[in-house]
Amino acid sequence: MSFITRGFRGRRQLDAPAGRVPPGQYVTADFPVLSAGPTPRVPLEEWRFTITDPLGSERSWTWAEFTSLPRETVTVDIHCVTKWSKLDTTWEGVSLDTLLADGTDRAGGHVLFHSYGGYTTNLPLEDVTGGKAWIAFNYDGQPLEPEHGGPARLLVPHLYFWKSAKWVDGATLSDSDRPGFWESYGYHNYGDPWREQRYQGD
Amino acid sequence: MDNERHLDGNALAGLFHDVFGREMTHECACCARCGAENQLGAAWVYRGAGDVLRCPNCGSIVMVIVQNSDGFRVSFEAIRWLQTSA
Amino acid sequence: MAGAALPGRLNWLIARATEIIEETERVRSIVLDCPGWPGHLPGHHIDIRLTGEDGYQAQRSYSIASPADDEQVVITVELVDEGEISPFLIGELRVGDRIEIRGPVGGYFIWEPSRGGPLQLIGGGSGVVPLMSMLRARVRAGSDVPVWYLSSARSFDDLIYRLELESISSEAEEVEVLHTLTRSKPPDWTGLTGRVDRVMLARHVWPAFTRPLCYVCGPTGFVETVATSLVALGHQPGRIKTERFGPTN
C-alpha cells in the first residue's frame, strides 16, 4: 500500500449516488479529453457518414441529410476505462436504429465503426441496436466540440467510453469480428463496465 | 496537422522507467514509416486509454503503451530500430 | 548520453516539505528534503504521487527548479484551478508534510554547462521552471556559456523568479534576460509585450548561424508556436528541445 498523503482528496466527487457507479470508477464533474492522435478538423460540407453492409453496399448521408433525420435527446451516464465516470450527460443525435432501419443487411452480427483520423472500434450489432446507440452531434445542448468528437461521435453508454468513437465517419457490418484500435492493443473486446471488462482476459 | 494536444515523449520518462527499467527519453529510434531518427523524448505523445507515441516527422504511430492488470503491454508499431547508449 | 542514465531502479521516495516560497500569487516553490535522493541534472523532472485515505491516487510530473544540491529538490508549482495535484500542493501542503516523489527522470531535456552553448531558453508561464534550473546551474558552476533567457507571462506580477533573474543578468555579462507580457503591463514597462511569435524570436533570440542549444518549455500552444518559428528561422530541429505542459486528464 502506498504512503497516504495527509489531506489529499483529489477532484473526484465523493457523494456519488448508489448503484450508478461501476466498480473501480470515480465520478467527476469534468469532461476529460483523451485521444490517440491529432483532432481531425472536418468541414461540415465534406462530412459523410457511410454504412457498409457485409456485401459491400453503401448507404451514405451528408451532414444536411443526417441532421434532417429523426433525432433523439438522451441523458446517460458515461464510463471511461481510465476510471472516471460522468453522470447525467445529455446528448442529441440519430439512433443507430434509425440509420439501420430500411433494408440494411444485418446478417453477420458484427460492426466496426471507423473515424476521421483512423480510429476504429468493434461491437456486436446487437449492442448498437434496440435503443442502445446513437451518432451524437450535440452535447449538453451545444454542437459537439471537436476535442470531444465533433462534428459527430458514436455514443454507446452501456460500454466503456472508448467504444464511443469520436469523429465517426462510418460503420462496416460484417460476419466476422475484427478488433478495433484499443482492442488490438490489449483492451477488452466487449468492454462492459459493470463486469469491469477493461483488458483482454478480464 | 492539428497538434494542439500532444505532449513530448519526455512526459513519459517515468513510464519508460516502469516499462524498460531505465531512462529512455534520450535514446534514438528510427521510424519504420519515414526513416526519421529522433530521441524518444521528442516523440509526439497522446495520452488516452493508453499512451500513443507518434513520429515527430511524419505523425505515424511508432509505439503504444497500455497498462493492464498484468503490467504493461508495449506495441512496437513502427520502430525500425532503437539505439541504446552507454 | 552517459549523464542521463542512472544506476538502480527508480523507486518512490518520501520527501518532506521544508519550506514553501510564494513566487507569485498563484505560484509556489516547494523545497523538499528527500533522503536517498540520487542527485539530478538541470532540466530533469520528478513524478509526484498522492494517495488519499481510501486508496485513490493521482500522479503528475513537475520540473525541478534547483540545480543539484545533495538531497534537496526544489519544485515550482503553478496553481491549476481544475487540477488534481496543484490545488493540494498550493493550499493544503504544509511545511513538515511528506509526499511521495520519484526521479529524476527526463534526460532528454537536460542541459549541463559541459554541453556548451550559446544557450537559448524560452519559457511560457511556469514553463520557465526547468530553464531556471539550467540557469542556476550555469551560475553556480561559474560557467561562461552565454545564455539568453526569454520568458512570457500574462502580467508583471506573474513573472516568476523576476528579482533573481535581474540579479543574475546584472552580475553576469553573458546572461541576457528578456520578458514579454501578454495581457497587461505596468506604465513604466520597458520589456517586451505581446505573445512570443516569429517576429519577436527573429529579433531577440540567438541567430541560427550561432547554432544555439534551444530549450523551449510551456503550454502546448506556446511551445508549438515557438518551436515552429525557430525552425522557420533556420534553427536545426536537432538543437531544439521541447517540453510541453499539456492539459492533464
Side-chain angles (χ1 to χ4, degrees):
Chain A
M1 181 63 170
S2 300
F3 176 82
I4 306 294
T5 318
R6 183 206 64 77
F8 173 67
R9 279 177 203 82
R11 283 199 29 87
R12 68 224 152 108
Q13 292 176 240
L14 295 173
D15 54 348
R20 298 275 297 275
V21 185
Q25 300 289 108
Y26 63 88
V27 177
T28 184
D30 300 331
F31 196 169
V33 174
L34 287 77
S35 64
T39 301
R41 302 289 172 178
V42 188
L44 294 181
E45 60 271 17
E46 293 173 20
W47 185 92
R48 296 286 184 278
F49 186 81
T50 305
I51 294 183
T52 308
D53 78 8
L55 297 176
S57 299
E58 292 182 356
R59 280 212 61 188
S60 215
W61 291 265
T62 64
W63 185 257
E65 291 165 346
F66 192 83
T67 51
S68 304
L69 294 170
R71 57 178 70 180
E72 299 173 18
T73 299
V74 295
T75 299
V76 295
D77 299 339
I78 60 179
H79 310 291
C80 179
V81 74
T82 63
K83 303 201 170 173
W84 58 264
S85 288
K86 192 167 171 63
L87 307 183
D88 300 317
T89 63
T90 301
W91 305 80
E92 192 178 3
V94 178
S95 167
L96 262 296
D97 295 308
T98 302
L99 294 169
L100 294 168
D102 44 352
T104 306
D105 180 2
R106 300 200 194 194
H110 295 282
V111 57
L112 182 72
F113 285 88
H114 31 88
S115 303
Y116 292 100
Y119 185 80
T120 56
T121 190
N122 59 313
L123 297 106
L125 192 52
E126 65 182 12
D127 280 89
V128 298
T129 51
K132 299 195 213 72
W134 299 264
I135 304 298
F137 45 81
N138 286 343
Y139 166 71
D140 206 23
Q142 299 294 316
L144 185 61
E145 289 177 17
E147 66 177 9
H148 283 301
R153 76 178 297 163
L154 177 63
L155 176 67
V156 191
H158 72 283
L159 299 175
Y160 280 122
F161 215 48
W162 90 73
K163 296 280 184 181
S164 292
K166 297 202 269 195
W167 313 300
V168 71
D169 73 358
T172 301
L173 280 62
S174 172
D175 54 7
S176 61
D177 185 18
R178 277 176 47 209
F181 184 86
W182 286 121
E183 295 83 3
S184 71
Y185 289 119
Y187 275 97
H188 198 273
N189 199 50
Y190 184 67
D192 178 358
W194 295 98
R195 286 181 283 167
E196 215 166 357
Q197 294 175 336
R198 301 181 195 268
Y199 310 110
Q200 193 181 334
D202 280 350
Chain B
M1 196 182 278
D2 212 333
N3 301 324
E4 82 285 357
R5 281 199 172 266
H6 77 82
L7 302 179
D8 300 282
N10 206 51
L12 301 188
L15 177 65
F16 288 151
H17 263 277
D18 291 333
V19 176
F20 298 105
R22 68 202 281 286
E23 179 64 52
M24 291 292 290
T25 60
H26 61 293
E27 307 290 28
C28 257
C30 178
C31 174
R33 301 269 180 268
C34 73
E37 298 171 17
N38 283 285
Q39 293 175 295
L40 287 183
W44 293 345
V45 166
Y46 292 87
R47 313 204 75 170
D51 291 307
V52 175
L53 285 85
R54 290 178 177 264
C55 171
N57 186 56
C58 72
S60 302
I61 295 176
V62 294
M63 192 189 302
V64 179
I65 302 176
V66 170
Q67 183 168 13
N68 56 33
S69 328
D70 300 322
F72 296 92
R73 180 165 298 192
V74 185
S75 307
F76 295 97
E77 194 67 38
I79 295 197
R80 181 169 300 147
W81 51 254
L82 177 64
Q83 174 70 48
T84 68
S85 51
Chain C
M1 306 261 342
L6 297 160
R9 281 184 62 81
L10 187 71
N11 295 308
W12 288 100
L13 303 171
I14 310 287
R16 187 172 48 90
T18 60
E19 193 181 350
I20 298 173
I21 302 158
E22 182 177 317
E23 301 282 358
T24 73
E25 190 188 334
R26 298 176 63 81
V27 176
R28 301 285 178 277
S29 286
I30 301 170
V31 181
L32 299 166
D33 176 64
C34 188
W37 184 251
H40 61 272
L41 292 168
H44 267 143
H45 65 267
I46 61 172
D47 289 339
I48 290 181
R49 179 170 76 182
L50 305 181
T51 308
E53 283 177 7
D54 59 353
Y56 175 82
Q57 275 189 344
Q59 184 176 320
R60 293 290 184 271
S61 300
Y62 291 94
S63 291
I64 301 173
S66 53
D69 190 355
D70 270 347
E71 296 187 327
Q72 184 179 96
V73 176
V74 182
I75 57 173
T76 301
V77 179
E78 178 173 18
L79 177 65
V80 176
D81 288 322
E82 308 296 300
E84 271 281 305
I85 291 201
S86 66
F88 169 81
L89 295 175
I90 299 176
E92 183 63 48
L93 182 79
R94 306 173 202 146
V95 168
D97 278 345
R98 296 181 300 156
I99 58 174
E100 276 192 301
I101 73 172
R102 68 175 183 178
V105 290
Y108 160 80
F109 200 70
I110 62 177
W111 177 84
E112 333 170 55
S114 57
R115 294 198 183 190
L119 186 62
Q120 179 65 56
L121 307 174
I122 307 170
S126 58
V128 298
V129 176
L131 311 181
M132 196 58 177
S133 173
M134 296 173 191
L135 184 55
R136 285 169 168 164
R138 184 259 190 217
V139 169
R140 175 176 300 182
S143 156
D144 59 2
V145 169
V147 183
W148 288 4
Y149 173 108
L150 171 63
S151 88
S152 171
R154 289 192 198 91
S155 71
F156 183 79
D157 291 336
D158 290 313
L159 287 170
I160 308 171
Y161 314 127
R162 184 179 56 83
L163 291 172
E164 184 180 345
L165 287 164
E166 261 180 41
S167 167
I168 291 173
S169 64
S170 68
E171 285 169 24
E173 267 191 33
E174 302 257 24
V175 177
E176 298 291 330
V177 171
L178 275 178
H179 301 297
T180 185
L181 303 181
T182 61
R183 289 211 194 146
S184 67
K185 58 175 178 148
D188 55 347
W189 178 245
T190 56
L192 304 174
T193 55
R195 293 178 179 278
V196 178
D197 61 10
R198 183 173 163 170
V199 171
M200 185 182 295
L201 293 169
R203 287 200 192 116
H204 297 293
V205 307
W206 285 100
F209 76 86
T210 65
R211 304 188 72 243
L213 291 170
C214 300
Y215 290 81
V216 186
C217 184
T220 48
F222 174 88
V223 171
E224 186 65 27
T225 299
V226 171
T228 306
S229 301
L230 289 174
V231 172
L233 289 169
H235 293 267
Q236 284 177 261
R239 295 181 79 80
I240 303 170
K241 298 286 170 72
T242 56
E243 179 146 81
R244 290 163 167 85
F245 290 177
T248 51
N249 295 325

